[in-house]
Amino acid sequence: ETGVTQTPRHLVMGMTNKKSLKCEQHLGHNAMYWYKQSAKKPLELMFVYSLEERVENNSVPSRFSPECPNSSHLFLHLHTLQPEDSALYLCASSQDIGSGLGYTFGSGTRLTVV
Amino acid sequence: QKEVEQDPGPLSVPEGAIVSLNCTYSNSAFQYFMWYRQYSRKGPELLMYTYSSGNKEDGRFTAQVDKSSKYISLFIRDSQPSDSATYLCAMSADRGSTLGRLYFGRGTQLTVWP
């Protein structure tokens, strides 16, 4: 692993389910991010946290709810998702939210909404 | 107009070929230019980065930035089957202007066959 661990690796959920994605980083970084990666589309930034405080919510629907209890852990709570939400969800961390260099990504959670 | 444009491919080349991957962008504020490599079922990993214009070489990889044309390239010499992956370009502006947000291309899928 790269220092950023995501669980689960795969998730299949129904549209009425509630589930959570977990991300953990062991790099001592202060910033953490959630990205969505869909086929044939650029990575979409969803949320940015700096020192456990959310600093950006990129117009993400409320059915996605992030939580950052400390600087090492990041969650993405999911409820009443739609099939078009099926994608690879990537967590990343960086030392700070400065120049954008030095992002470390996890391996992602492959989400399928049925 | 999208911030970053990248041809998704796929690109298929024989082993030993020179590969050229390219991105164009529209935002003249971008200063940091990166190439990420993403293997199947993995998260992106930083391959190379360049600040402002110029060339940077690392082994078989060369990154070029032409800010006047808003065009960046990644060249892979003597390509190997292990280079088969999706290559994503990414870029960001200076600290303080976009909170270090990375803007990604769609990624180019490369296959190097033996």
Side-chain angles (χ1 to χ4, degrees), chain B residues 53-95:
Chain B
S53 285
N55 293 359
K56 186 171 184 177
E57 189 173 319
D58 183 3
R60 297 184 292 110
F61 298 87
T62 300
Q64 287 186 352
V65 174
D66 181 350
K67 290 190 71 179
S68 62
S69 301
K70 297 189 177 68
Y71 187 87
I72 71 170
S73 301
L74 177 70
F75 297 96
I76 308 174
R77 292 184 300 280
D78 187 25
S79 55
Q80 303 295 309
S82 58
D83 295 328
S84 298
T86 297
Y87 290 81
L88 302 102
C89 62
M91 43 201 81
S92 72
D94 281 340
R95 180 189 297 266

Side-chain angles (χ1 to χ4, degrees), chain A residues 85-107:
Chain A
D85 296 322
S86 299
L88 180 68
Y89 287 85
L90 289 162
C91 173
S93 70
S94 64
Q95 186 59 54
D96 58 41
I97 56 171
S99 67
L101 293 175
Y103 278 37
T104 302
F105 283 88
S107 293

Side-chain angles (χ1 to χ4, degrees), chain A residues 24-61:
Chain A
E24 186 174 357
Q25 58 99 357
H26 308 280
L27 302 167
H29 288 170
N30 295 318
M32 297 186 78
Y33 313 81
W34 280 116
Y35 279 87
K36 177 183 178 182
Q37 188 175 35
S38 304
K40 308 297 184 186
K41 284 188 175 182
L43 280 169
E44 299 172 52
L45 179 64
M46 300 176 73
F47 300 104
V48 181
Y49 276 83
S50 176
L51 296 171
E52 302 141 48
E53 181 181 340
R54 189 191 310 179
V55 296
E56 184 164 344
N57 174 349
N58 196 27
S59 302
V60 179

